[in-house]
Amino acid sequence: LDERARTEIRGSRYIRLDRTDGAIIDTALAYPKQRITAYYEAASFVKYLLDTYGVAKFKRVYRGFDFDPIYAKSLEQLEAEWLDAIFPELGGRKLMSTETAAG
C-alpha cells in the first residue's frame, strides 16, 4: 500500500490531505491521475494512523470527530509525521509544500 502511494506520488506529485477530496470526488474527471494518487495517499495515511495510534482513535475520527481532540495533534501535524515516517526518501514533510492541479 505504501509502495503504491510512493509510486503514485512520484508520478503525479503529492496532494495535500486537506485537498484529496477534490481529486477523489472529481466528477468531471478533470484530474484522473490525481484521483488515483489521492486514493493511495489516503489509504496509506489511514494505515499509518491505525498502525501508530490504534483502531479506537481512528473509529472516532471516522465517525466525524476532529483530529485535534482525539490525537492531540492537528491534521497538518499528523500529515507531516506520516510523511516523515513513510516517505523520507521523497522529502517527508517537504512534500506538503507541493502544489497540484487537484488543489
Side-chain angles (χ1 to χ4, degrees), residues 4-91:
R4 182 64 193 262
R6 184 175 287 106
T7 299
E8 294 301 327
I9 291 168
R10 281 186 178 132
S12 122
R13 296 180 58 194
Y14 182 69
I15 300 170
R16 293 281 308 261
L17 290 177
D18 61 357
R19 297 180 182 179
T20 55
D21 283 354
I24 292 171
I25 307 173
D26 177 19
T27 57
L29 298 176
Y31 307 109
K33 182 66 175 161
Q34 285 83 2
R35 175 181 275 184
I36 294 166
T37 302
Y39 173 81
Y40 282 106
E41 284 178 15
S44 175
F45 180 66
V46 167
K47 180 183 178 300
Y48 173 79
L49 291 179
L50 291 170
D51 291 349
T52 305
Y53 296 100
V55 174
K57 287 185 177 189
F58 181 76
K59 281 183 178 180
R60 292 179 65 201
V61 168
Y62 185 77
R63 291 184 182 124
F65 291 93
D66 290 331
F67 284 86
D68 292 353
I70 294 169
Y71 291 99
K73 298 177 183 181
S74 68
L75 174 58
E76 187 173 296
Q77 289 170 312
L78 290 166
E79 181 177 9
E81 184 180 281
W82 160 67
L83 289 169
D84 284 345
I86 305 300
F87 306 112
E89 78 288 354
L90 298 179

